[in-house]
Amino acid sequence: MGKRMADFPFDLIGFDLDGTLLDTSDELTLSLNHALSTVDIPPLSQAEVRPMVGLGAKHMLRMGLKASGTTDDALADHLLPILVDHYDAHLGSGSPPFPGLITAMDELAELGVRFAIVTNKYERLAVKLLDKTGFAERMETVIGGDTLPGGKRKPDAAPILEMIEQTGGERAAFIGDSIYDVAAARNAGIPSVAVSFGFLHQPVEELGADAVIDHYDALVQTLRTLA
């Protein structure tokens, strides 16, 4: 394995969580609609909610309220703990991995690559979700949006740099689906791969990633090309 590991350009791959590792849109839609229902706002469809996901729970809630005709930040603050509590209670019930992910991770692990998560989701929720879905044991570390002092989160470089420091990874790349992911990787001085199947807020080509994949079947070879 030593030679194969030396031949592969990376020893650490970091993943964003929502929209990159797991399709959490079903669970998040249910929790958002639960919060909205407490103030008699009609439910949104999963297709409506999907583009709201990926920039944090409060952003999703604000976008949900905006889609329902209100921009009341005080109401968003009121509903946020209701949304988070509901999500916490139902975590892992409907968040499948994206197609091809497990096969790609198995192949990378055979090459000696290790894995980590850097997400803007609360750390405790990220850890719980990874545990419920069976991915916790694959991860060297989990950096959440509230892990670092001062609340530093993507697109700041700090969470990516913390991931590298905690794991001792010398050659890292990051996989994500948002401008925050790409910018965080760039700010930390490592390559990024964007997934076109994620919770995109703009065309994937506009994210500025070093590479784009349309399916996890392409991940290993794409990483080789970034050497």
Side-chain angles (χ1 to χ4, degrees):
M1 182 183 293
K3 183 178 186 302
R4 295 180 70 192
M5 181 176 177
D7 289 343
F8 197 72
F10 302 104
D11 57 17
L12 174 67
I13 301 298
F15 289 90
D16 173 50
L17 184 49
D18 297 83
T20 300
L21 195 81
L22 303 175
D23 184 354
T24 54
S25 57
D26 180 55
E27 287 186 21
L28 290 166
T29 298
L30 291 174
S31 295
L32 175 60
N33 283 334
H34 170 75
L36 295 177
S37 72
T38 64
V39 287
D40 298 321
I41 294 177
L44 300 170
S45 70
Q46 188 170 339
E48 289 175 301
V49 173
R50 191 177 174 89
M52 303 175 186
V53 177
L55 303 181
K58 190 164 187 179
H59 172 85
M60 180 179 70
L61 189 51
R62 283 173 171 164
M63 293 301 98
L65 289 170
K66 184 177 180 180
S68 304
T70 179
T71 56
D72 187 343
D73 275 350
L75 182 57
D77 289 338
H78 169 71
L79 293 179
L80 183 59
I82 297 173
L83 185 156
V84 171
D85 286 349
H86 183 275
Y87 182 62
D88 192 357
H90 298 85
L91 206 58
S93 60
S95 290
F98 285 98
L101 171 66
I102 293 175
T103 299
M105 292 184 77
D106 287 346
E107 185 176 347
L108 288 167
E110 283 294 315
L111 293 167
V113 176
R114 295 170 295 132
F115 309 110
I117 291 289
V118 178
T119 175
N120 283 350
K121 185 191 291 292
Y122 297 140
E123 181 184 333
R124 68 177 181 83
L125 295 179
V127 170
K128 184 175 179 179
L129 177 58
L130 291 165
D131 185 59
K132 292 272 190 180
T133 54
F135 281 90
E137 62 187 18
R138 291 179 179 261
M139 301 301 167
E140 295 278 323
T141 190
V142 178
I143 309 297
D146 58 344
T147 299
L148 299 182
K152 290 183 179 178
R153 51 170 56 196
K154 300 176 295 185
D156 196 296
I160 303 290
L161 296 174
E162 181 70 14
M163 170 192 78
I164 294 170
E165 182 177 347
Q166 286 192 17
T167 61
E170 296 180 359
R171 301 165 296 157
F174 194 70
I175 320 298
D177 69 329
S178 78
I179 193 68
Y180 285 10
D181 298 321
V182 173
R186 183 186 302 115
N187 291 336
I190 67 171
S192 62
V193 177
V195 297
S196 65
F197 46 80
F199 302 155
L200 299 174
H201 299 262
Q202 62 197 97
V204 69
E205 296 79 12
E206 295 180 4
L207 297 181
D210 296 289
V212 174
I213 59 171
D214 300 320
H215 192 284
Y216 271 118
D217 287 353
L219 179 61
V220 177
Q221 184 56 36
T222 298
L223 290 170
R224 288 187 190 279
T225 68
L226 294 181

